[in-house]
Amino acid sequence: MKITKILPLLIAFISLNVIAQDGPFTRKKKEQIKALKVAFITDELSLTSDEATKFWPLFNAFEDKQQEIKKQKLKGYLNKIDDDSFDKLSEKDASTMLAQIESTEDELYKLKKKFATALKGVISPVKILKLKKAEEKFNRKLLQQYRDRKVGN
């Protein structure tokens, strides 16, 4: 399998592992992060009040559905991977699991496409691209802050 197909799966596993573990991210922390993300995206996109009224319900529904898919489906795969029995996994079982993961990734991709299509009626294509950039920028900042705190402790 090519690295371009494996890399997204590995990233999904790692991000889900962080999400699945309560660790440093309690419910209160998650709510604080969400509030910071809302403020950051609103600022980065310069949303008008009319755009914001239409945008945020779409965005929140998308994020909720995405998290639901990740928690329900990918978390189950992670649990199997973390088991001691993982080293004893047969090729057939591994192929089945890989097909399930790929199916879930396809479902997430379709959800993203549907979200992008819905956004076209709410904000301009330029703002849709700014949204993608803002989300990446926010995630990098969040990760950097987490690393800085971890190193400082």
Side-chain angles (χ1 to χ4, degrees):
M1 187 180 285
K2 293 182 181 179
I3 190 75
T4 56
K5 290 187 178 184
I6 295 173
L7 190 58
L9 294 174
L10 289 174
I11 292 170
F13 284 143
I14 293 168
S15 64
L16 272 174
N17 205 10
V18 170
I19 291 168
Q21 298 173 355
D22 255 354
F25 296 109
T26 61
R27 181 175 298 274
K28 184 178 177 184
K29 289 267 189 208
K30 288 178 185 177
E31 289 172 5
Q32 289 173 338
I33 291 169
K34 184 162 177 91
L36 290 171
K37 186 175 185 177
V38 167
F40 186 82
I41 289 174
T42 300
D43 185 52
E44 289 287 310
L45 297 184
S46 302
L47 294 173
T48 66
S49 60
D50 185 46
E51 287 173 331
T53 302
K54 295 174 185 173
F55 171 81
W56 286 111
L58 286 174
F59 184 84
N60 291 332
F62 165 73
E63 289 239 310
D64 291 346
K65 182 65 177 172
Q66 186 172 296
Q67 289 302 321
E68 178 185 321
I69 291 169
K70 287 179 180 180
K71 277 186 177 180
Q72 286 180 349
K73 296 185 178 182
L74 292 177
K75 188 177 179 182
Y77 309 138
L78 282 178
N79 289 342
K80 289 181 182 178
I81 289 172
D82 289 340
D83 283 343
D84 294 331
S85 63
F86 182 71
D87 291 332
K88 299 171 187 166
L89 195 64
S90 72
E91 288 298 319
K92 182 181 176 187
D93 289 342
S95 292
T96 301
M97 185 185 293
L98 187 56
Q100 291 170 335
I101 291 169
E102 289 171 347
S103 174
T104 301
E105 290 294 330
D106 285 343
E107 188 177 348
L108 288 168
Y109 174 73
K110 288 175 185 172
L111 179 67
K112 289 176 186 179
K113 280 185 69 172
K114 184 178 176 183
F115 175 61
T117 300
L119 282 180
K120 290 177 184 175
V122 175
I123 59 177
S124 72
V126 170
K127 286 189 179 183
I128 293 171
L129 293 174
K130 284 183 177 182
L131 171 63
K132 291 188 178 299
K133 187 175 180 180
E135 285 183 295
E136 287 182 27
K137 191 175 176 182
F138 180 82
N139 289 337
R140 277 194 309 271
K141 283 185 169 193
L142 184 64
L143 185 58
Q144 187 59 49
Q145 286 179 358
Y146 177 72
R147 286 180 182 154
D148 291 346
R149 285 185 185 167
K150 197 168 186 175
V151 170
N153 285 338

